[in-house]
Structures are given as structure tokens and as C-alpha cells.
Amino acid sequence: MKNIVLIGMPACGKSTIGYWLSKKIDYPLFDADKYLEEKENKIISDIFSNEGEEHFRELETKYLVELSEKEGIIISTGGGAVKKKENIDILKRNGIVVFLNREIADIYKENHENRPLLKDINNIQKLYDERIDLYRKYADIIIKNNDNMDVIVDRIIMALKGKL
Ligand SMILES: Nc1ncnc2c1ncn2[C@@H]1O[C@H](COP(=O)(O)OP(=O)(O)OP(=O)(O)O)[C@@H](O)[C@H]1O
Ligand SMILES: O=C(O)C1=C[C@@H](O)[C@@H](O)[C@H](O)C1
Ligand SMILES: [Mg+2]
């Protein structure tokens, strides 16, 4: 059984949609950020400030390898997983990559207490511009997240028919 890999911008809905999808199709959900934090026993913001982004990116790859060894799970990736092609190659070995494409205006409206990078709409636009081509290029399936969760989850299930 293949994995379902959710990619997309921070706050595009990977964790919440991943959760409802996992309930509906009975696949366990693994949030790559949470998995890394549990394994390292540290929070990501501390890893960024104490050890730097480069170290975080190495750990991110290490734990994506571990997660990709599992089967029949949903992996909600970190927003920057597409920055390294190696990550996508690992995830695609046994996974279908689903890009959740959410409008910047909708992302901006969310509460970003824990996402300092997203507090400024110009920064969201910058991150989006840097990454949009990568999200599109690496996606096996692109789903617009522009409706309520139920509709989006059903859209994903429909799009995955015959692919898992
Ligand atoms: N279709 C939607 N309808 C209503 N709320 C939504 C929708 N999609 C996402 N949200 C809301 O947007 C917020 C961000 O979603 P979520 O935390 O799932 O994003 P994420 O992609 O996991 O972000 P991060 O990369 O920071 O982990 C949540 O409060 C979620 O409920
Ligand atoms: O967009 C990003 O680069 C990141 C998103 C988060 O999910 C975390 O993986 C981390 O904070 C980096
Ligand atoms: Mg998340």
C-alpha cells in the first residue's frame, strides 16, 4: 500500500486535512514536523535558532527516510520539504504526492502565532513565489483547498482512486 504525501505552503491545511482524510480512509497520519520534534526531543524553532536551518534540513531528510519506510500512511510534510529534490525522491519511492494549493489570502487570514514567517503578507507572497513551481512540479495530484474540509477530503479521495 502506497503512502499519501501532503505537500504545500505553511498553513495550507496539510495537518488538518491530513487528519480528516486519515479518519475517513483509516490510514494513520504522521506529521513530519511533529515526528522530528518527538525524535529529537526539541522544538523546530529552537533547532532553527540554536543549530541553524541547514541542520534542521538534514534532520528533516533523515526522518522523511524513516517515514517513507512505512506503508499505507499519510505523511503531512513540512512546508519546506520541497526545497531538496532528495526529499521528494525519497517520498515518491512509496508515495503519491498531493499538493494542497490554498490561496495566499486564505493562508494569511489564519492565526500565525506559531508561524512567525507568515505574519507578514509580503513574506507569504515571497515564500509562495519561491516555492510554487516546486510544489507544482513534484505533485502527482494538485488539489485546490478552496472549500470546506469535507469537500476537500472527498476531492482527494476521488483523485487518489486507482493510484494507491
Ligand atoms: N478548507 C479549509 N477550511 C477551513 N479552514 C481551513 C481549511 N484549510 C485549512 N484550514 C485551517 O487553516 C489552518 C492551518 O491549517 P494546518 O495547520 O492544517 O496547515 P499546515 O499546512 O499543516 O501548516 P504547517 O505547514 O504550518 O504545519 C488551520 O486552522 C485549519 O483549520
Ligand atoms: O516552510 C518551511 O520552511 C517550514 C515549515 C514548517 O512546516 C517546518 O518544517 C519548518 O518550520 C520550516
Ligand atoms: Mg501542519
Side-chain angles (χ1 to χ4, degrees):
M1 270 200 314
K2 287 201 169 179
N3 297 329
I4 301 165
V5 178
L6 303 178
I7 63 169
M9 285 280 288
C12 75
K14 300 179 295 291
S15 300
T16 38
I17 290 169
Y19 173 81
W20 290 113
L21 180 64
S22 84
K23 291 263 169 225
K24 201 147 187 179
I25 63 172
D26 204 20
Y27 272 41
L29 171 69
F30 287 81
D31 188 300
D33 286 338
K34 279 194 201 134
Y35 187 82
L36 183 153
E37 288 182 332
E38 280 166 19
K39 291 276 176 175
E40 291 293 308
N41 202 19
K42 290 176 193 161
I43 59 169
I44 288 174
S45 55
D46 284 350
I47 301 177
F48 262 78
S49 38
N50 299 332
E51 289 142 285
E53 175 168 355
E54 202 174 318
H55 181 63
F56 167 75
R57 295 295 171 199
E58 281 163 15
L59 294 173
E60 182 176 44
T61 301
K62 172 180 171 186
Y63 293 118
L64 288 177
V65 170
E66 276 191 26
L67 287 172
S68 297
E69 280 160 2
K70 300 181 188 290
E71 284 185 11
I73 64 167
I74 299 170
I75 304 174
S76 154
T77 59
V82 291
K83 288 180 79 170
K84 273 163 80 178
K85 180 174 179 291
E86 183 188 354
N87 292 343
I88 301 297
D89 291 341
I90 290 163
L91 290 161
K92 276 187 189 261
R93 270 189 225 144
N94 183 35
I96 307 291
V97 175
V98 179
F99 167 35
L100 290 180
N101 194 10
R102 194 173 191 208
E103 292 282 339
I104 288 176
D106 292 336
I107 289 178
Y108 181 62
K109 281 186 225 141
E110 298 297 342
N111 175 349
H112 298 306
E113 262 165 43
N114 297 320
R115 298 186 191 92
L117 277 178
L118 299 194
K119 286 197 174 126
D120 174 353
I121 197 156
N122 295 316
N123 222 6
I124 300 181
Q125 183 72 54
K126 183 170 164 280
L127 268 187
Y128 186 84
D129 291 344
E130 279 169 12
R131 294 178 179 174
I132 182 66
D133 288 348
L134 297 172
Y135 291 134
R136 285 188 188 285
K137 180 168 79 173
Y138 294 139
D140 296 308
I141 293 168
I142 300 179
I143 301 287
K144 261 185 182 264
N145 178 10
N146 61 353
D147 211 319
N148 70 55
M149 300 268 175
D150 262 3
V151 173
I152 307 305
V153 168
D154 286 344
R155 264 185 208 166
I156 298 173
I157 293 170
M158 281 294 287
L160 284 169
K161 282 244 156 74
K163 292 196 159 68
L164 288 174

